[in-house]
Amino acid sequence: MKYTLNYPMVVNETDTHYEVVIYDFNSPNIYPSGYLAPFADTEIDGDLLRVYAEKYGDDYLNILVEGYGMMARMKGGNTGGDLLSPRLKGGGGRGGNIPFSIYYVRNQNGDVLLYDSSYKVWTADDECIELGDPYDIDFDGSFDIGDINRLINIMLHKQSDDPYKSADVNFDHAVDIEDLNMYLNRMLSGVKAVDVNSLLVPKAE
């Protein structure tokens, strides 16, 4: 058996075949550095899932959610996750940005299931912005009717300030009725979006 500092751990290796372990939720601490501590299980979209987090100093920088992968937080730089590797980093600068970063996961209906309210991006003016809930385009800390109003105003060109292109939630390079349908569907679905920050609940003994 051998392993790397990143992923995957290679097992059952021969000259023509090998298998890998990315995460094992029954025994998550398979990597040579860091320690994934167990936290309370969480319910996401009706499924009860296990949660682990890696402590770094006084913080938990990497949060692993069963079925979703790692939400990796880089101290002093961008946050995000790569769904696979807990330590896949880019080049230098701003804490080592993660090249395959994510900050939310949604289902095929457009309902946001999991997001990281601590996710940060850097603007062209070198300003660091926390994005929060991806549908919270008026940046008031919650997804509500105010965001739908703002989306409609952007669609009708009554306001043009969408600096992070966050209103285009279906990524088709246009803010239109399809985006509005996704906003309305999410509001009416009743699906609760889970903030990664809420997952660090101590596991009951």
Side-chain angles (χ1 to χ4, degrees), residues 60-81:
Y60 286 95
L61 295 188
N62 297 315
I63 301 174
L64 179 62
V65 184
E66 184 177 10
Y68 290 86
M70 182 73 75
M71 304 297 283
R73 294 155 162 203
M74 305 311 300
K75 198 167 190 176
N78 287 20
T79 62

Side-chain angles (χ1 to χ4, degrees), residues 111-124:
D111 303 317
V112 175
L113 305 179
L114 181 71
Y115 73 97
D116 186 356
S117 63
S118 298
Y119 187 85
K120 299 176 179 66
V121 295
W122 294 87
T123 69

